[in-house]
Amino acid sequence: MNKSLRPAVIAGNWKMNKTPAQTTELINEMKPLVADAACDVVLCVPFVDLQAALAAAEGSNIKIGAQNCHFEKSGAFTGEISADMLKELGVTYVIIGHSERRTYFGETDVTVNKRTLAALNAGLTAIVCVGEYLEQREQGVTNELVALQTKIALQNVTEGDLSKIIIAYEPVWAIGTGRTATADQANEVCAVIRETIAGLYGKAAADSVTIQYGGSMNAANADELVGKPDVDGGLIGGASLVAKDFAVIVAAASK
Ligand code: 13P
């Protein structure tokens, strides 16, 4: 296991929080706190906050991402945003297949794959989310399920494109619940994801992919989670809305 083969990435997922003015304020507060990061730092903000976020983050080490993109380039898809639109703004990352989109907005493994391909075609880095519900963990199918989600998400993704793929393991039962997976649970599933990628592309390719954990990661538990050999950072919800907490998590991943 060699973590130096891939960057650690701490990405904030702001979900449906913050107006453009609040975005400017929070990023201005965060900038000095994460300036010395030795990991990649990304903030995924609501679509309407992207321009404010890009302006506030300009010249800093904070990169800006969106929380979804559509799989078509353009057309009659009311309310949707294409990957090309994001790219033109200067966005560099996009979250794909978050469990909230799967649960509340009908996202499936198939549409996750289509959106992933669209993001890659536009030159964006896709943060692809996988993870099980509590019932599935209790049924003992977590590893198989997450492996399958990963395989489907990566259909037709070339080995060359893997440098633009991040996988985020987010057990649904740990999201916004304060109930974090243990570091060993997180590491076990992240390792399963890496083995799955190794099965598709070979071990060297799999060792180069960043695999994050997400689900109630916070300033108190980040150190232990990101210290695990297969956990290469985190996708952070609630704690990414508090500058000093987010900075502690970034510092943990910078060690
Ligand atoms: P919380 O950190 O609020 O649990 O959210 C995790 C998440 O869903 C990140 O995408």
Side-chain angles (χ1 to χ4, degrees), residues 11 13 15 95 98-100 129 170 174-178 214-217 235-239:
N13 174 9
K15 309 192 178 183
I95 297 172
H98 191 278
S99 65
E100 287 150 17
C129 301
E170 297 210 310
I175 294 176
T177 57
S216 299
M217 194 190 279
L235 186 55
I236 323 295

Side-chain angles (χ1 to χ4, degrees), residues 178-193:
R179 184 179 167 187
T180 319
T182 66
D184 285 337
Q185 283 174 325
N187 192 64
E188 181 188 347
V189 183
C190 288
V192 166
I193 293 168

Side-chain angles (χ1 to χ4, degrees), residues 7-190:
V9 181
I10 295 294
N13 174 9
W14 284 8
K15 309 192 178 183
M16 195 175 73
N17 290 290
K18 303 295 175 188
T19 66
Q22 291 167 338
T23 296
T24 305
E25 198 179 328
L26 184 52
I27 293 180
N28 282 337
E29 195 185 344
M30 282 179 175
K31 273 193 292 190
L33 302 181
V34 302
D36 296 330
C39 63
D40 291 349
V41 182
V42 183
L43 293 173
C44 297
V45 305
F47 288 131
V48 296
D49 295 336
L50 286 169
Q51 280 185 302
L54 287 159
E58 201 178 342
S60 80
N61 59 329
I62 299 176
K63 298 178 187 112
I64 301 302
Q67 298 173 9
N68 185 25
C69 71
H70 197 262
F71 39 82
E72 295 294 344
K73 284 183 110 43
S74 63
F77 301 100
T78 302
E80 290 290 320
I81 301 288
S82 76
D84 287 339
M85 293 172 186
L86 298 173
K87 180 70 178 176
E88 191 178 309
L89 277 188
V91 168
T92 43
Y93 289 76
V94 60
I95 297 172
I96 302 286
H98 191 278
S99 65
E100 287 150 17
R101 297 223 51 92
R102 293 177 189 253
T103 302
Y104 305 132
F105 303 102
E107 201 76 59
T108 65
D109 288 330
V110 172
T111 57
V112 167
N113 173 238
K114 289 167 82 169
R115 289 180 207 265
T116 300
L117 294 172
L120 294 172
N121 281 337
L124 301 174
T125 295
I127 303 175
V128 181
C129 301
V130 295
E132 80 287 4
Y133 289 99
L134 184 59
E135 295 78 1
Q136 295 165 327
R137 175 160 284 269
E138 286 169 351
Q139 288 162 357
V141 299
T142 297
N143 291 355
E144 289 153 275
L145 182 91
V146 168
L148 192 62
Q149 288 175 333
T150 304
K151 272 189 193 168
I152 298 174
L154 295 178
Q155 287 286 311
N156 296 318
V157 172
T158 65
E159 187 178 337
D161 275 335
L162 274 189
S163 62
K164 294 241 172 204
I165 292 281
I166 293 171
I167 306 286
Y169 167 54
E170 297 210 310
V172 182
W173 48 271
I175 294 176
T177 57
R179 184 179 167 187
T180 319
T182 66
D184 285 337
Q185 283 174 325
N187 192 64
E188 181 188 347
V189 183
C190 288

